[in-house]
Amino acid sequence: MFDISQIEQLEKIKTPFYYYDMNLLYRSVDLMAELSARYDIMVHYAIKANVDRRILSYISSKGIGADCVSGNEVKHAVSCGFDPSKIVYAGVGKTDDEIFESMEIGIGTFNCESLQEIYVLNEMGRTYGKTINISVRINPNIDAHTHRYVTTGLYENKFGISNHEFDSLIDLLHKCRNIRCTGLHFHIGSQITRVKDVFKLECQRVNEIVEEFERRGLQVNDIDLGGGLGVDYENPDDNDIPPFEEWFRTISENIRRKPGQTVHIEPGRCLVAQCGTLLTKVLFVKRGETKNFLILDAGMNDLIRPALYGAYHKIENLSAKERPYFPENQAYDIVGPVCESSDVWGAGRFLPLSVRGDLMAIRSAGAYGQVMASRYNMKDWAQTVYSDELEKAVLKKDYFENL
Ligand SMILES: *Cc1c(COP(=O)(O)O)cnc(C)c1O
């Protein structure tokens, strides 16, 4: 991942910064594109996981589509080379402007999440003389066995349409003249690690639901299974590429597809998480009453996942790797600089003796990292650094303005 010659260069760059391992990205995306062709499953990358222009441009160049959750994401995807017809747009709260702009761009499908949204889309289509392609997001009531903040496929979640509304849904679809419903959409959660069990169960539920809608007279051309494949946050080096093939195989073996039906998936996290690392330096070492603290210059403003969901990220001291052998690891509570008690990277982590100025790597930060950053406490944005352009590290004054 990081070789020694790189560490010398990395130590000179102003921290904190996001470092992207472009070779790992290329290997992950190439494998995903190859499996997509081999298993005949269409892939739409969920761009909300990471919207970096270089990353998106590479993914789009491999013929992969995009899954967007806002109008700005749709526009950004197009500007990064995604074919509009391969863009799907989900989200429970699309505004009129977002719907209008995406309709004008001519995206592939709106994944609709409520009856009222379908009604509004039909009105919009009628006003502008268009027929809008939609897919209906169904809530399959499946427990994805993941964190409660990232599970989305249970009736108690806000996403999708549940079975008590199926009669009204069919009625509505029959009445809407400016809507073409081409299929069904599902997405049950994120960071799913029980790949075979959970995705097999999802496919079985989806088979039943597809059959039910076909019985009710709906022609289902597109079956979109959503994203959710998890990554190994504990051992990023052993499992730098997630079990893509197991995922494709599980789907292929369990989804029932008739001629003319296309199966879609929407991976986000698993394509980009392991290629990103947040690099940060130790500002201070503080001896507490019972604990030792390492205070880093990166905080929850740069990467909010630990503070938001108690997420685990592996932390390494890169500078210590270059020093002579230190006999024992020390237990540290590793914290950020932000004025919130939840700004903690990890409690009781064992690391080599660490000193002010050491370069630390917060691993697996490529997904839901930089995109969730803020300037809370008026901190600067972290810079972006690509492994093949270390000399070009640029401070982006406003991360979202200069994508
Ligand atoms: C977030 C999201 C995804 C991607 O989820 P990952 O867990 O990152 O793979 C896919 N589809 C929809 C509709 C989403 O909201």
Side-chain angles (χ1 to χ4, degrees):
M1 164 123 220
F2 306 100
D3 59 43
I4 294 293
S5 62
Q6 262 199 337
I7 289 168
E8 275 177 16
Q9 269 180 285
L10 291 172
E11 279 177 333
K12 294 189 191 116
I13 300 170
K14 181 179 176 300
T15 50
F17 61 92
Y18 274 90
Y19 167 94
Y20 293 107
D21 180 340
M22 299 310 280
N23 278 324
L24 179 56
L25 175 79
Y26 299 156
R27 282 196 288 126
S28 306
V29 173
D30 291 356
L31 176 60
M32 180 72 72
E34 192 260 306
L35 290 167
S36 166
R38 179 153 28 116
Y39 286 89
D40 191 19
I41 292 175
M42 182 141 184
V43 177
H44 306 263
Y45 164 60
I47 81 165
K48 72 175 186 285
N50 191 311
V51 293
D52 180 87
R53 176 170 295 277
R54 266 196 75 186
I55 293 179
L56 261 56
S57 301
Y58 189 73
I59 295 175
S60 69
S61 77
K62 294 288 147 176
I64 291 173
D67 166 40
C68 299
V69 291
S70 76
N72 287 340
E73 280 196 359
V74 169
K75 287 186 272 185
H76 184 55
V78 172
S79 92
C80 291
F82 287 95
D83 178 347
S85 71
K86 291 183 187 167
I87 294 178
V88 297
Y89 176 12
V92 293
K94 304 177 184 81
T95 66
D96 292 7
D97 286 348
E98 290 178 313
I99 294 170
F100 178 75
E101 286 169 355
S102 305
M103 179 183 77
E104 288 290 292
I105 286 170
I107 63 165
T109 309
F110 287 85
N111 286 336
C112 294
E113 308 226 10
S114 65
L115 299 184
Q116 195 164 32
E117 182 187 341
I118 297 172
Y119 181 82
V120 167
L121 276 168
N122 186 56
E123 289 296 297
M124 188 88 81
R126 198 172 59 180
T127 309
Y128 295 97
K130 301 211 178 199
T131 306
I132 301 177
N133 285 339
I134 70 159
S135 192
V136 179
R137 179 161 176 183
I138 302 293
N139 183 331
N141 197 28
I142 287 179
D143 188 349
H145 294 284
T146 181
H147 193 284
R148 68 192 169 90
Y149 286 178
V150 293
T151 194
T152 57
L154 286 169
Y155 286 154
E156 64 200 67
N157 300 126
K158 68 179 174 182
F159 301 99
I161 294 173
S162 302
N163 57 1
H164 72 276
E165 292 177 302
F166 285 0
D167 286 339
S168 327
L169 171 63
I170 293 288
D171 273 356
L172 179 62
L173 291 176
H174 283 312
K175 285 186 198 132
C176 288
R177 300 267 163 255
N178 292 81
I179 290 279
R180 187 187 304 114
C181 179
T182 65
L184 300 176
H185 174 229
F186 305 83
H187 172 66
I188 57 173
S190 200
Q191 186 49 17
I192 295 166
T193 48
R194 288 166 54 175
V195 181
K196 272 199 196 118
D197 293 359
V198 173
F199 290 108
K200 182 175 176 187
L201 187 68
E202 184 189 13
C203 288
Q204 289 167 344
R205 277 295 285 143
V206 167
N207 291 338
E208 290 166 17
I209 295 169
V210 168
E211 220 162 73
E212 177 172 354
F213 275 90
E214 286 173 336
R215 242 193 343 263
R216 288 162 177 259
L218 185 78
Q219 192 180 333
V220 180
N221 296 327
D222 295 298
I223 303 171
D224 187 337
L225 298 168
L229 181 65
V231 306
D232 191 342
Y233 283 95
E234 320 242 324
N235 302 297
D237 292 314
D238 297 341
N239 295 302
D240 58 354
I241 298 192
F244 291 164
E245 179 146 22
E246 191 183 4
W247 191 29
F248 278 81
R249 205 178 330 109
T250 303
I251 291 171
S252 195
E253 286 171 2
N254 292 286
I255 200 79
R256 209 177 300 133
R257 74 169 123 172
K258 302 183 192 66
Q261 281 179 333
T262 308
V263 175
H264 305 250
I265 53 171
E266 303 167 339
R269 181 193 312 273
C270 65
L271 265 178
V272 291
Q274 300 294 26
C275 77
T277 303
L278 178 58
L279 288 171
T280 166
K281 281 189 176 159
V282 175
L283 289 175
F284 304 109
V285 183
K286 182 163 140 175
R287 313 239 162 246
E289 282 283 314
T290 54
K291 298 169 161 185
N292 291 330
F293 290 97
L294 288 185
I295 301 164
L296 308 185
D297 63 8
M300 62 189 280
N301 56 302
D302 299 301
L303 174 63
I304 203 175
R305 299 185 67 258
L308 187 62
Y309 332 109
Y312 176 92
H313 284 267
K314 184 174 180 182
I315 300 175
E316 291 170 311
N317 184 329
L318 300 182
S319 301
K321 288 189 175 172
E322 295 175 89
R323 286 197 286 262
Y325 178 66
F326 278 102
E328 62 208 288
N329 279 348
Q330 323 271 311
Y332 291 107
D333 276 18
I334 308 174
V335 302
V338 173
C339 300
E340 292 285 340
S341 301
S342 59
D343 189 25
V344 176
W345 292 111
R349 296 289 186 97
F350 283 89
L351 285 175
L353 187 75
S354 302
V355 298
R356 174 173 164 81
D358 279 354
L359 186 66
M360 313 289 284
I362 299 174
R363 303 291 305 277
S364 316
Y368 306 109
Q370 213 169 3
V371 281
M372 284 194 184
S374 77
R375 287 197 53 206
Y376 183 46
N377 286 188
M378 290 189 77
K379 291 285 193 178
D380 287 327
W381 298 107
Q383 301 183 91
T384 304
V385 174
Y386 305 103
S387 56
D388 56 356
E389 287 185 342
L390 292 187
E391 66 294 342
K392 275 208 240 159
V394 254
L395 178 66
K396 294 185 171 171
K397 278 264 182 302
D398 183 327
Y399 176 67
F400 289 101
E401 286 304 314
N402 295 300
L403 280 171

